[in-house]
Amino acid sequence: MDSINEFFSLLSSLLWGWPMIILLLGTHVFLTIRLRFPQRKLLTGIRLSVKKDSGSEGDVSQFGALATALAATIGTGNIVGVATAVALGGPGAVLWCWLTGIFGMATKYAEALLAVKYRVRDKHGHTYGGPMYALERGLGMKWLAILFATFTALASFGIGCTVQANSIALLASETFGLPTWIVGIFVCVLAGCVILGGVKAIARVCTLFVPFMALLYVVGCIVILCMNSDYVWPAIKLIVHAAFNPEAAGGGFVGATVMMAARYGIARGLFSNESGMGSAPIVAAAAQTRNPVRQALVSSTGTFWDTVVICALTGVVLVSSIIAYPDITYDDGAALTKVAFSKIPYVGAPLLTFGILTFAFSTILGWSYYGESAVNYIERQKSNRFYRILYIVVLFFGSIINLDIIWNIADCMNALMTIPNLVALLLLSTIAAKETRKYLWSNRLDEEMEE
């Protein structure tokens, strides 16, 4: 097992090295320019996200699709991941993470547009879509579509299932003294009640759950910023300055380089919002929407909320806390986050615990639909109850076993998902640009999609 773990650890490092980071960031920038900066329509996307196209084809509302995607992407990476970037790359990593989110909105936009453009509807009226359908129907690359679906199904059991269940079990055990197997059973029952109901049940729960958990976490961040009010502006200036001159951070950050700040900031941003990975468009394709561009705008707001808002808030909280409390140890991401939130009297630590628990649980729900959709593509079934049951069972084992090797395998599967998705995005960018000109830049957002 040690040899296998070492192999996947090495493979993960290679797959998520500089070539992948440059390819993803390059795609973000390319699509931003190719689509004429769809980020400019952020407010339109937010407005559309709370409206219903109930008479349009689709299984869930536009907001339901967005909430489900956010459930899968807002996770521990928003909390501990940002802290790890700061610990390893210095305060400047926060700016690089933020910029990744800004440009990543264009990629998330294009993914959703293509997902709706090439989605299919079965004889039962259910809609399916995602990169696998774009690859098959848009490019005729069914073999690559099957590879994407296979990697997605495998990844769902890793990053979306076992590692999240394990995080919940370990945190609950450390905080409340509960045996991990009891926590595992509780998570299985709770998740099962939602997952067995399919995408509509998942979307309903996420629609109620995600805004609440995100708002509570944001409020906690704002409270800390109020406590650190004298240090917020110095923290922002340090973040900007250290992004291009890490030595300016001083202290334990001396020795950091621009490359380190950029690498860890960009990597955390990419992992956080999943723009370019191809997961979120799977549920975007199920949205009730008049045309591809409407849902594309809605989906792009997911990256805004996830990275541009939540990750940026987390970064400013951490850096201002480091300045305000020089005794904070910031060479460990998890410890840094814990110390920062503990400064809120009485409720700080419980708030952080609640945030990590709920973020991890929401990821379980979102990824269950991604995995099931991938399996359905391969098997061409209406639904896959066996997959849902297997997913729930694996949740329990994820709660009680050591997951070092699972983490490494999951990272590899996520990278292998990304490659076929980027092929679809780049080769179909002309189609995405054409649809954007037709509906967005010609002010025809309210028109129905032509078959």
Side-chain angles (χ1 to χ4, degrees):
M1 289 297 291
D2 288 341
S3 298
I4 295 174
N5 187 37
E6 185 176 344
F7 168 77
F8 279 105
S9 177
L10 177 61
L11 181 60
S12 175
S13 299
L14 292 173
L15 289 172
W16 284 112
W18 271 110
M20 177 66 81
I21 291 175
I22 293 171
L23 180 60
L24 270 168
L25 187 60
T27 300
H28 292 350
V29 175
F30 168 74
L31 290 173
T32 294
I33 298 171
R34 186 77 174 83
L35 302 175
R36 295 171 52 191
F37 293 82
Q39 294 92 328
R40 289 182 287 160
K41 294 295 184 177
L42 172 63
L43 294 179
T44 301
I46 294 174
R47 176 176 58 82
L48 290 174
S49 70
V50 295
K51 295 179 66 175
K52 289 186 177 181
D53 276 356
S54 54
S56 303
E57 179 180 316
D59 295 336
V60 298
S61 68
Q62 291 180 136
F63 184 73
L66 174 63
T68 303
L70 282 172
T73 53
I74 296 180
T76 53
N78 297 87
I79 304 176
V80 179
V82 176
T84 301
V86 172
L88 297 175
V94 177
L95 179 64
W96 290 107
C97 179
W98 185 78
L99 289 173
T100 301
I102 292 290
F103 287 104
M105 289 173 63
T107 299
K108 188 65 70 75
Y109 168 94
E111 287 178 319
L113 189 156
L114 295 174
V116 176
K117 172 73 175 176
Y118 293 108
R119 68 184 179 180
V120 299
R121 192 172 188 176
D122 67 12
K123 62 182 180 180
H124 302 284
H126 297 282
T127 52
Y128 300 98
M132 52 278 205
Y133 293 92
L135 286 163
E136 179 185 347
R137 302 184 71 214
L139 295 171
M141 297 181 175
K142 187 171 182 178
W143 64 274
L144 195 55
I146 292 175
L147 280 179
F148 173 85
T150 301
F151 296 142
T152 302
L154 293 173
S156 72
F157 287 108
I159 195 66
C161 180
T162 50
V163 296
Q164 304 301 329
N166 193 258
S167 297
I168 292 173
L170 290 179
L171 183 58
S173 178
E174 293 174 2
T175 305
F176 307 111
L178 297 173
T180 54
W181 66 270
I182 290 180
V183 179
I185 291 175
F186 179 75
V187 171
C188 288
V189 171
L190 202 59
C193 291
V194 182
I195 292 170
L196 292 176
V199 64
K200 291 185 178 180
I202 293 172
R204 279 196 302 269
V205 171
C206 291
T207 298
L208 298 172
F209 187 56
V210 170
F212 171 74
M213 73 174 193
L215 180 62
L216 194 62
Y217 177 73
V218 168
V219 168
C221 288
I222 292 174
V223 170
I224 297 176
L225 292 178
C226 290
M227 296 173 62
N228 297 346
S229 58
D230 292 339
Y231 305 97
V232 171
W233 183 241
I236 294 173
K237 290 196 294 184
L238 179 60
I239 287 170
V240 174
H241 193 43
F244 307 100
N245 181 24
E247 297 287 343
F253 297 115
V254 173
T257 65
V258 173
M259 293 294 283
M260 289 173 64
R263 177 186 176 185
Y264 289 110
I266 292 171
R268 286 302 112 192
L270 295 173
F271 296 157
S272 169
N273 59 55
E274 297 181 10
S275 294
M277 192 179 295
S279 50
I282 294 174
V283 69
Q288 296 170 335
T289 185
R290 297 179 204 178
N291 58 64
V293 171
R294 287 174 73 91
Q295 184 56 37
L297 288 171
V298 172
S299 294
S300 69
T301 66
T303 299
F304 171 76
W305 296 122
D306 176 272
T307 305
V308 180
V309 175
I310 295 180
C311 284
L313 268 178
T314 303
V316 177
V317 162
L318 296 174
V319 177
S320 64
S321 295
I322 291 171
I323 298 174
Y325 310 104
D327 57 326
I328 285 183
T329 301
Y330 44 79
D331 57 354
D332 178 80
L336 172 57
T337 308
K338 189 174 182 179
V339 171
F341 273 82
S342 67
K343 299 301 180 180
I344 303 179
Y346 307 113
V347 299
L351 179 62
L352 178 62
T353 299
F354 178 80
I356 294 175
L357 290 175
T358 53
F359 283 12
F361 183 74
S362 70
T363 301
I364 289 171
L365 298 182
W367 268 93
S368 71
Y369 179 69
Y370 296 162
E372 182 181 342
S373 296
V375 172
N376 286 344
Y377 174 79
I378 296 170
E379 298 189 354
R380 300 292 187 179
Q381 296 183 31
K382 174 193 170 189
S383 64
N384 197 311
R385 188 166 292 273
F386 173 75
Y387 170 85
R388 297 177 189 176
I389 294 173
L390 178 62
Y391 190 89
I392 294 167
V393 171
V394 173
L395 276 175
F396 174 76
F397 288 102
S399 302
I400 61 175
I401 62 176
N402 184 291
L403 289 182
D404 286 345
I405 188 172
I406 302 298
W407 265 111
N408 289 323
I409 293 174
D411 283 343
C412 292
M413 293 303 105
N414 287 342
L416 293 173
M417 282 174 61
T418 302
I419 295 171
N421 183 55
L422 292 181
V423 170
L425 284 170
L426 295 173
L427 295 184
L428 292 172
S429 62
T430 300
I431 300 296
K434 179 182 177 181
E435 294 291 309
T436 301
R437 286 195 304 271
K438 177 180 178 180
Y439 293 107
L440 183 59
W441 304 127
S442 298
N443 296 317
R444 298 166 63 186
L445 275 177
D446 293 332
E447 291 189 10
E448 296 286 343
M449 177 173 57
E450 297 176 5
E451 296 296 336

